[in-house]
Amino acid sequence: MNRRASAAPINSKSGRTPKSQGWDELVHSGPGTLMGQLLRRHWQPVAVASLVSPGRAVPIRIMGEDLTLYRGASGEPYIVGARCAHRLSLLHTGWVEDECIRCFYHGWKYDGTGQCVEMPAEDESFAEKVKITSYPAKEYAGLIYAFMGEGKPPVFPRKAELDREFGITYAYCFIWPCNWLQRLENSFDATHVSFVHRRTALGNKVSSDIPALLYEETEWGFRQIAERSPDNIRISEIAWPNCNHIVTPDGPRPSETPWTDVFNTFVPVDDEHTAQFSARSTPLRGDAINEYKEWAASSPRYDPANDSEKLFREAPYFEFHNSVQLVAAQDYVAQVGQGAIVDRSQE
């Protein structure tokens, strides 16, 4: 079988993949698609909470939908449609007033449910007839979540590891130019660690041996146990349908940092872009907290999407002094190099 020789990302013009073994139904997440409907039945992270201050609004794009996220004066987050129903002007360019948002163009004002409550230049009674899209929003563990499905939202899935009364919890987001399923597959792929990450502290820790894989169904999804030796076991837990919980060293001195619980949720921006929303919790106490904060401030989270051309040119001989950055760069090349939407009929 011929393989593509180029390491550069492959663009998908149509945004569709051949209908091979049902994969086509898994990669597309827009409104009305089967996978889009499934993902919308669950609370999904849509933004890093610290990036939206009270009284401000930002545009977001999730699963092919353009939306407006804003915080009211109380700090409560709200998610409504991207545009005013009047002349389709972008709502995030307007003003947040109390718990409502007012359009920049002609001043139509909407509450957090999308209901228009004021039209300065129109008949006063007409406002109640206009309502735009809105979704329930909730802030948790440094992220803002939305429920974009139909009907009543399910119970919000809190995590015991993120609810600790001590330690450090923080969140961040990367957006990479490839399909969400590629990102989730890689996150759960224990074998790739032996090759993609073999030059890192992570690779040295798990060794280059091919792991024996065991799977268990759980109440929230399923668990993968990758055993390379009795004292070398890595566990990944999928919280259905698109969140992977792993435990990893993270900090200035991994041998002294007990562990970090990482919850990576891979949310489609659209079919060819994925937002990785990460919530992390490290159970530290005392002076170790300050040491960790100093380390985090001096080592900002690295996004390899900013160095895309360089990484594909230099792979696999990357030069990074920081192991965390190196792991991210290696994963980026492996996943984005498959193409915006991998053509699985050619595998």
Side-chain angles (χ1 to χ4, degrees):
M1 178 184 297
N2 293 328
R3 298 288 184 183
R4 297 183 178 92
S6 173
I10 305 158
N11 293 322
S12 170
K13 295 181 179 179
S14 66
R16 305 289 288 177
T17 58
K19 290 191 175 182
S20 172
Q21 301 178 350
W23 287 111
D24 190 64
E25 295 179 344
L26 299 182
V27 300
H28 301 292
S29 60
T33 63
L34 289 177
M35 182 53 68
Q37 293 176 27
L38 187 149
L39 292 172
R40 284 169 172 79
R41 293 175 183 172
H42 302 264
W43 285 93
Q44 298 289 349
V46 298
V48 176
S50 62
L51 299 181
V52 191
S53 57
R56 300 304 298 268
V58 296
I60 59 174
R61 181 171 174 80
I62 296 292
M63 292 185 283
E65 292 190 48
D66 292 311
L67 301 164
T68 301
L69 165 64
Y70 74 93
R71 283 190 191 271
S74 67
E76 188 73 16
Y78 301 96
I79 297 173
V80 296
R83 298 179 182 275
C84 176
H86 182 209
R87 298 295 303 278
L88 304 183
S89 188
L90 290 168
L91 276 179
H92 79 271
T93 62
W95 299 270
V96 175
E97 300 177 358
D98 295 325
E99 304 304 299
C100 299
I101 186 166
R102 187 184 295 278
C103 179
F104 179 81
Y105 203 4
H106 293 92
W108 285 24
K109 185 177 177 180
Y110 301 87
D111 67 17
T113 70
Q115 177 64 54
C116 186
V117 296
E118 188 177 320
M119 298 175 176
E122 309 296 334
D123 186 285
E124 184 177 343
S125 65
F126 191 63
E128 66 182 22
K129 301 177 183 179
V130 176
K131 190 172 185 179
I132 61 175
T133 297
S134 70
Y135 294 116
K138 182 177 181 64
E139 184 171 348
Y140 178 66
L143 297 172
I144 294 177
Y145 288 74
F147 177 71
M148 298 172 63
E150 298 180 358
K152 184 179 179 180
V155 175
F156 188 84
R158 303 182 69 93
K159 311 295 183 185
E161 296 84 355
L162 298 176
D163 285 339
R164 295 187 185 104
E165 296 181 357
F166 61 94
I168 294 179
T169 299
Y170 67 99
Y172 62 91
C173 174
F174 291 156
I175 296 178
W176 289 5
C178 64
N179 185 258
W180 79 279
L181 190 58
Q182 286 157 240
R183 298 242 48 210
L184 180 65
E185 287 175 323
N186 178 84
S187 178
F188 203 63
D189 183 344
T191 303
H192 91 280
V193 176
S194 301
F195 299 94
V196 174
H197 301 307
R198 64 182 180 180
R199 291 179 54 233
T200 68
L202 173 63
N204 294 336
K205 180 176 178 61
V206 300
S207 82
S208 60
D209 296 335
I210 304 302
L213 301 178
L214 175 66
Y215 296 87
E216 300 174 351
E217 186 174 355
T218 66
E219 293 181 359
W220 58 87
F222 54 95
R223 176 186 294 115
Q224 178 197 74
I225 302 172
E227 181 176 348
R228 290 174 167 84
S229 67
D231 60 349
N232 195 324
I233 298 175
R234 178 183 169 117
I235 297 177
S236 297
E237 296 179 323
I238 290 292
W240 185 258
N242 57 330
C243 178
N244 187 13
H245 171 212
I246 57 177
V247 179
T248 182
D250 186 17
R253 295 181 298 186
S255 62
E256 298 180 23
T257 300
W259 68 84
T260 292
D261 286 285
V262 183
F263 292 85
N264 291 330
T265 307
F266 302 97
V267 184
V269 174
D270 51 39
D271 287 347
E272 297 187 355
H273 298 82
T274 303
Q276 173 191 325
F277 290 101
S278 296
R280 294 181 171 231
S281 177
T282 305
L284 299 174
R285 297 179 186 269
D287 293 339
I289 292 180
N290 293 328
E291 182 180 5
Y292 187 96
K293 288 181 178 179
E294 292 176 2
W295 168 79
S298 64
S299 305
R301 188 63 55 175
Y302 171 69
D303 185 354
N306 297 328
D307 293 328
S308 183
E309 292 186 9
K310 174 184 176 182
L311 295 180
F312 280 100
R313 184 173 62 249
E314 295 182 354
Y317 305 107
F318 307 107
E319 293 296 333
F320 285 97
H321 299 295
N322 186 314
S323 180
V324 174
Q325 294 179 351
L326 178 55
V327 169
Q330 292 166 333
D331 276 332
Y332 183 89
V333 168
Q335 296 165 57
V336 177
Q338 292 179 286
I341 304 178
V342 63
D343 183 354
R344 289 179 173 82
S345 70
Q346 300 300 309
E347 290 185 347

